[in-house]
Amino acid sequence: MIYYTQLIFIKPGHEQEFHAFEDEVLPLLKEHNGELVYRIRPAESAFIESSRELPSEIHLVTFESKADFEGYKVDPRRLDSMEMKNKSVEKIILIEGIAL
């Protein structure tokens, strides 16, 4: 099992567009052996310490394999929604890991 953590930085004023993007693409995870474990919108007060800007959302997603993740990334239905993502997201930091 592979874990992916995303730190998502949404452009101010584009939150609804980003959430619409997620409404379209998150249901596709299961078809690619993926699972959304956590989807967090942390308040600023939840951060104990920070040396950089704070993310708007934090996601933890699992996939059975890297190939499943790659299949999700190129799913044509997800690709059809990428314009919404590109308009609403400033940047995403993606961290790949395994359970220890």
Side-chain angles (χ1 to χ4, degrees), residues 46-97:
F47 292 87
I48 298 167
E49 188 173 330
S50 175
S51 64
R52 298 189 180 192
E53 64 184 308
L54 303 178
S56 307
E57 289 195 13
I58 301 170
H59 295 183
L60 178 64
V61 179
T62 63
F63 286 91
E64 289 295 319
S65 69
K66 187 160 185 151
D68 290 326
F69 173 65
E70 295 297 330
Y72 171 73
K73 283 178 25 181
V74 298
D75 185 304
R77 296 165 295 174
R78 182 177 175 277
L79 295 176
D80 286 345
S81 302
M82 291 306 288
E83 186 175 338
M84 283 190 291
K85 176 187 172 223
N86 294 337
K87 286 182 179 178
S88 61
V89 173
E90 184 69 37
K91 70 178 174 180
I92 294 176
I93 297 173
L94 179 68
I95 305 160
E96 182 180 282

Side-chain angles (χ1 to χ4, degrees), residues 32-57:
H32 296 278
N33 299 313
E35 177 186 7
L36 177 63
V37 178
Y38 302 117
R39 182 179 178 190
I40 306 164
R41 293 185 191 138
E44 190 172 331
S45 62
F47 292 87
I48 298 167
E49 188 173 330
S50 175
S51 64
R52 298 189 180 192
E53 64 184 308
L54 303 178
S56 307
E57 289 195 13

